[in-house]
Every structure is written in structure tokens, then in C-alpha cells.
Amino acid sequence: MRVFIADDSSLMRDLLKSIISTIPGCDLTGEAKDSKEALQWLLKQTCDVAILDICMPGASGILVLELVKKLQPDLIAMILTNYPEAPFRKRCLAAGADFFFDKSKDFQKVGETLQALIARFKPAPDAEKQGGNLQANDKT
């Protein structure tokens, strides 16, 4: 499963990379420190899961989510944020987020969720050849 990370905190990116590196079948395929880099990468590359922060330099992670989900509706999107309030959660889920996690309370759930996705979802038969995405429609 190919994972992309977009977060302005290098510490957070490093923590996420550390988690990803311990999960068999889970590979980091890209990362970005701001919304511009995230959009550039996500519009040119494919991945199965994108972990996005809401507050990044440039545009909001929510805008990144909205734009990318229009082009890659099967992308599994995780929001990992310091803004867990209901209006942000509602907006992210409406924009296509599959999961919404509070950095201060739910950080461990990112790894658990990635492991569950690997266990639950299998790529389409020709996904490896064509770079297809995993399928998911659960929203947490």
C-alpha cells in the first residue's frame, strides 16, 4: 500500500514515516511540507492513502483534499490535525476524507488504521501494473 504524507511539521512527517516503515506492505511514496508541494505531487503521482494536515503553508489541507478527491475519488484520505473541532471534521468528511484524526488524541490510530487497511483491502487484480488504488468507503 502506497502512502503519501503532507504536513508542515518535519517532526510529524518523521513520526509518520517511522510508523509506516514498521508496517509490512506499507510504503512511503512521497511527502510534502506545504499544500503546493502536496498538490503538485498528488496531481502527478498516484498513491493508495494520503495523510493530510489541515493547516499548512499556502492553502488549507482541506482544499488539497477537495481537489485531489475530484481527480482520484478512490484515494483513501486521512486527515491528521490539531483542529479536531466538529466544523473541521464535518467539512473534511464532506470533502471526501475517509478518516479524521486528532493529533493529540488519535495519533496511534493512524498506524492501526493503515494496518487494518492492508488487512482488509486488496488491490484490484491489475492494480500493480496500472498503479490503481485500493478501495475503501469507511469513514471514521
Side-chain angles (χ1 to χ4, degrees), residues 9 11 15 31 35 43 48 53-54 84 91 95 98 105 111 113 115 119 121 138:
S9 166
L11 175 62
L15 288 170
E31 65 180 283
S35 57
L43 295 176
D48 301 304
D53 188 11
I54 288 177
R91 186 161 174 219
D98 297 285
K105 294 180 185 177
T113 302
Q115 289 176 332
F121 300 103
D138 289 342

Side-chain angles (χ1 to χ4, degrees), residues 6 9 13 17 20 35 42 44-46 51 70 72 77 79 81 89-90 97 101 104 108 117-118 120 136 138:
S9 166
R13 290 192 313 274
K17 287 189 278 189
I20 291 166
S35 57
L42 289 165
K44 293 179 183 176
Q45 308 291 327
T46 60
I51 303 172
K70 286 180 184 175
Q72 298 181 46
I79 299 296
T81 184
R89 179 183 180 87
K90 183 177 179 180
F101 298 124
S104 65
Q108 78 287 350
L117 288 171
I118 288 173
R120 276 180 54 193
D138 289 342

Side-chain angles (χ1 to χ4, degrees), residues 13-15 25 38 41 43 53 56 76 82-83 92 96 98 114 136:
R13 290 192 313 274
D14 288 344
L15 288 170
W41 194 96
L43 295 176
D53 188 11
M56 293 186 286
I76 299 168
N82 283 321
Y83 299 94
C92 288
D98 297 285
L114 290 172

Side-chain angles (χ1 to χ4, degrees), residues 99-131:
F99 302 93
F100 185 91
F101 298 124
D102 178 346
K103 285 181 182 178
S104 65
K105 294 180 185 177
D106 302 325
F107 189 79
Q108 78 287 350
K109 290 183 181 179
V110 173
E112 294 168 4
T113 302
L114 290 172
Q115 289 176 332
L117 288 171
I118 288 173
R120 276 180 54 193
F121 300 103
K122 295 180 181 178
D126 61 350
E128 289 184 22
K129 294 178 194 171
Q130 298 179 12

